[in-house]
Every structure is written in structure tokens, then in C-alpha cells.
Amino acid sequence: MSECYEYVPHRLLRRPVRDIASGVEGVLMAVINENVSDTGIERWMELAYIRGASGREFTTAVTNVEPA
């Protein structure tokens, strides 16, 4: 069985970003290529982990991330 995730380099890591889907701003903490499938068929997606002002992290598709 393969790994369920892998870290991906991104030019905005540790910089202020905005999630265009929700409008929430925070710092991009990581981009991870993650297997998001709950079935036997793998489905990989690049997820951005953003830490908001509250200190809690949330995820969004990496295509939704823009500089703040």
C-alpha cells in the first residue's frame, strides 16, 4: 500500500494568503498531495493547510489560494 500523503513545495509557504472560496485569510502552513478517497480506488488532491487568525488550521484546494 502506498503512502496516503506527500508534502509539496509551494511559493507561498509561510506567507499570508487568502482562500478565495471562503475569503478567510491566514498563513499557508503546508501543501500536501493527499489521498482523499475512502474507497479502494485512490483519489489524490493537493490540499493547502492555512492557519487562520484564531490559530486553527483549515484546508482548501491549493487552486483556491492567493497572496493576501
Side-chain angles (χ1 to χ4, degrees):
M1 184 167 194
S2 65
E3 290 292 322
C4 293
Y5 65 92
E6 64 182 352
Y7 287 92
V8 177
H10 195 279
R11 66 184 178 86
L12 295 175
L13 279 175
R14 305 280 186 219
R15 297 213 170 125
V17 295
R18 178 181 304 107
D19 171 22
I20 59 174
S22 67
V24 177
E25 293 186 5
V27 175
L28 182 62
M29 302 306 292
V31 174
I32 298 178
N33 190 26
E34 192 169 337
N35 181 3
V36 295
S37 174
D38 59 355
T39 67
I41 300 170
E42 292 184 355
R43 181 171 175 257
W44 292 83
M45 182 175 180
E46 285 190 355
L47 296 176
Y49 284 74
I50 299 172
R51 182 173 294 161
S54 68
R56 298 188 92 177
E57 290 185 12
F58 64 95
T59 60
T60 189
V62 75
T63 55
N64 288 341
V65 175
E66 67 180 13

